[in-house]
Amino acid sequence: MTNERADWEAMAPEEMVSCLRTLVARGDAVDLQPFRVALERPALAEEALRLLGDLCTQEAWDLLETVAETNRTLRKAARRAQHRMRARGFRPQIEKRAPTPPKVVRVVATGFNEQGEQILRVFQEAPLGMLRSVRFLLAFDGIEDIAILVANRKDMEEALAILEERLAEVPGFLVDVSLGYVARRVQTAAARMRDAGKPLPYGYEEAVALFDGVPEDPWPAELDEDLTRPSPSDADRLLKEALFASWHLAEEKVKPFAREWIKIGGAIPQFTEENLPNLALLEARGRMTTRIIEALFDTATCLRFQEQLREQARLFLFSGLTEQARLAARCAREFDTVSPSENNFLRTLVGRSMEAALVAIVERERQEMQEQGAWARLEEAGGLWVPRPTPPEEGEEPAKPSLWLPGMDL
């Protein structure tokens, strides 16, 4: 009897089963090639597995294990054969293999808010057709929160679709990124927490297991092709992107400077008699911008904005916006070459933040006036209604009504 594959493939099913039984009956080392040939023939596969269970050798066990892991149709028959081997006293040498990590379905990152926070989220396949979500909330000085959730795949995909729809008004704020990007961001934040002696958040070890074997995320070389310093117009062009609205300084930070900013605009005309920009106004607001930067931008804040610009440059690349990515990288590089007060990005950011704050302040005052009404009730005048006077400026006396009414002092 020959063991050549061609000969085995040419045998009739009854003849092959007979030969397999003869091989098993020998009780010595058996070539498993005939069994592999039989497993490829559906009519013989289960009988071949049953006979393999009578061999009680490590090679037979390994072949059964391979069938059980790769063939769903024959899995039960292969496990029954292995059970019979154990029942007969055979103890296999089982190789301990690392579990296969769940497949990563999607990885997304948001832009930054005014506190410099960013959300990173990784979606993995989970048993029973569900999805596993690992969410990291990062700040400049570390990881603020980690949330791990396993939920129905359809529900989670619908929730993500709703979030994408809500953020569609801000193009580029939610970006698909690589797992390497998330790994680098999370590990950098964790290192900062360790250096500062802060405890890592609950669930960190479980969450970062998904980064095992993930390749590094180096700085993109194409972002170093243009090393020129950004001009004020370059910084303004970058900050016009909708996603940078969340970078504006908080209103409560710039509000102490708002009154003076308005006074400068009221005292100095915006244009000269020749209809040219008034340099005196630009210089006065430029000096005030320097004061605001000196008051609000310490070393840590500057480092935070520089890091945000570098990360935003990467996010632009993920979105395919190469020009914006290079401009963001140039603005980040400017922090290494000039002082904060001379930084064109910061100066433009202060100006835009002040404009946004003034719009918000005026709108809020307008709403308050609407809520209060245009008329005020004077109890000392017998409860008559009179036009409400304009609120006084800081340090000014309240305006007196121009109309004298009975009961009012002159």
Side-chain angles (χ1 to χ4, degrees), residues 252-263:
E252 59 269 18
K253 288 187 176 181
V254 298
K255 191 173 182 179
F257 307 94
R259 295 289 183 187
E260 185 176 350
W261 189 277
I262 294 174
K263 285 182 179 179

Side-chain angles (χ1 to χ4, degrees), residues 299-313:
T299 301
T301 304
C302 290
L303 289 174
R304 173 170 73 82
F305 275 100
Q306 183 181 30
E307 179 175 280
Q308 286 180 207
L309 282 166
R310 290 173 63 88
E311 296 305 327
Q312 188 59 57

Side-chain angles (χ1 to χ4, degrees), residues 41-160:
R41 302 172 68 172
L44 301 176
E46 291 201 18
E47 181 64 16
L49 292 173
R50 189 188 67 79
L51 292 172
L52 277 171
D54 294 333
L55 285 177
C56 293
T57 64
Q58 185 64 42
E59 292 76 11
W61 175 276
D62 293 341
L63 180 55
L64 288 169
E65 186 67 22
T66 300
V67 172
E69 290 182 352
T70 60
N71 193 317
R72 296 180 63 180
T73 304
L74 300 175
R75 183 175 300 160
K76 288 186 178 181
R79 294 303 186 199
R80 284 196 298 267
Q82 288 179 322
H83 179 72
R84 286 181 29 245
M85 293 173 71
R86 289 182 181 275
R88 297 175 65 179
F90 176 73
R91 294 294 177 265
Q93 297 179 358
I94 300 177
E95 180 183 356
K96 291 185 178 180
R97 290 176 289 183
T100 304
K103 179 182 177 182
V104 174
V105 177
R106 192 175 180 189
V107 186
V108 296
T110 68
F112 297 86
N113 63 12
E114 63 185 23
Q115 287 83 32
E117 297 171 330
Q118 181 187 30
I119 294 177
L120 308 172
R121 200 167 181 183
V122 181
F123 296 92
Q124 294 176 290
E125 289 184 346
L128 304 177
M130 305 183 83
L131 277 184
R132 178 176 184 254
S133 166
V134 182
R135 190 207 67 178
F136 302 91
L137 176 60
L138 303 187
F140 176 68
D141 56 355
I143 306 172
E144 292 194 353
D145 185 49
I146 295 176
I148 302 176
L149 173 68
V150 178
N152 179 277
R153 187 186 191 113
K154 182 180 178 181
D155 293 343
M156 197 171 290
E157 289 177 344
E158 287 180 353
L160 183 59

Side-chain angles (χ1 to χ4, degrees), residues 4 20 22 191 253 330 367:
E4 292 294 334
L20 293 178
T22 301
K253 288 187 176 181
R330 288 167 57 198
Q367 291 179 355

Side-chain angles (χ1 to χ4, degrees), residues 101-358:
K103 179 182 177 182
V104 174
V105 177
R106 192 175 180 189
V107 186
V108 296
T110 68
F112 297 86
N113 63 12
E114 63 185 23
Q115 287 83 32
E117 297 171 330
Q118 181 187 30
I119 294 177
L120 308 172
R121 200 167 181 183
V122 181
F123 296 92
Q124 294 176 290
E125 289 184 346
L128 304 177
M130 305 183 83
L131 277 184
R132 178 176 184 254
S133 166
V134 182
R135 190 207 67 178
F136 302 91
L137 176 60
L138 303 187
F140 176 68
D141 56 355
I143 306 172
E144 292 194 353
D145 185 49
I146 295 176
I148 302 176
L149 173 68
V150 178
N152 179 277
R153 187 186 191 113
K154 182 180 178 181
D155 293 343
M156 197 171 290
E157 289 177 344
E158 287 180 353
L160 183 59
I162 293 173
L163 177 62
E164 288 180 310
E165 184 177 355
R166 288 169 53 192
L167 295 177
E169 298 178 359
V170 188
F173 192 79
L174 186 67
V175 183
D176 285 273
V177 298
S178 67
L179 189 58
Y181 174 87
V182 176
R184 178 185 55 79
R185 290 282 289 140
V186 171
Q187 290 164 356
T188 300
R192 285 178 180 162
M193 295 185 74
R194 293 191 188 98
D195 292 343
K198 298 179 180 179
L200 293 171
Y202 176 78
Y204 174 79
E205 295 299 333
E206 179 185 356
V208 297
L210 59 88
F211 301 144
D212 292 344
V214 174
E216 294 183 358
D217 180 47
W219 176 253
E222 58 263 43
L223 296 183
D224 288 333
E225 294 177 359
D226 187 354
L227 302 179
T228 58
R229 181 188 175 190
S231 65
S233 61
D234 289 332
D236 188 66
R237 180 157 50 90
L238 181 66
L239 284 166
K240 282 182 179 178
E241 296 287 336
L243 62 87
F244 281 101
S246 61
W247 290 43
H248 290 170
L249 302 177
E251 182 184 328
E252 59 269 18
K253 288 187 176 181
V254 298
K255 191 173 182 179
F257 307 94
R259 295 289 183 187
E260 185 176 350
W261 189 277
I262 294 174
K263 285 182 179 179
I264 291 174
I268 306 175
Q270 186 175 0
F271 297 99
T272 64
E273 294 179 356
E274 294 79 13
N275 201 30
L276 297 175
N278 195 330
L279 294 180
L281 176 62
L282 297 178
E283 290 175 356
R285 283 189 168 165
R287 290 191 295 270
M288 187 171 182
T289 298
T290 299
R291 286 172 44 208
I292 295 173
I293 291 176
E294 291 173 348
L296 300 182
F297 289 86
D298 56 12
T299 301
T301 304
C302 290
L303 289 174
R304 173 170 73 82
F305 275 100
Q306 183 181 30
E307 179 175 280
Q308 286 180 207
L309 282 166
R310 290 173 63 88
E311 296 305 327
Q312 188 59 57
R314 291 176 183 262
L315 295 178
F316 277 138
L317 274 188
F318 281 117
S319 301
L321 303 174
T322 306
E323 181 182 353
Q324 291 91 327
R326 289 174 177 165
L327 182 52
R330 288 167 57 198
C331 289
R333 198 177 296 110
E334 186 184 18
F335 282 80
D336 296 327
T337 58
V338 299
S339 65
S341 61
E342 298 174 332
N343 187 297
N344 287 326
F345 177 83
L346 291 183
R347 298 186 70 84
T348 307
L349 179 66
V350 167
R352 284 188 162 271
S353 299
M354 185 63 75
E355 291 173 4
L358 292 178

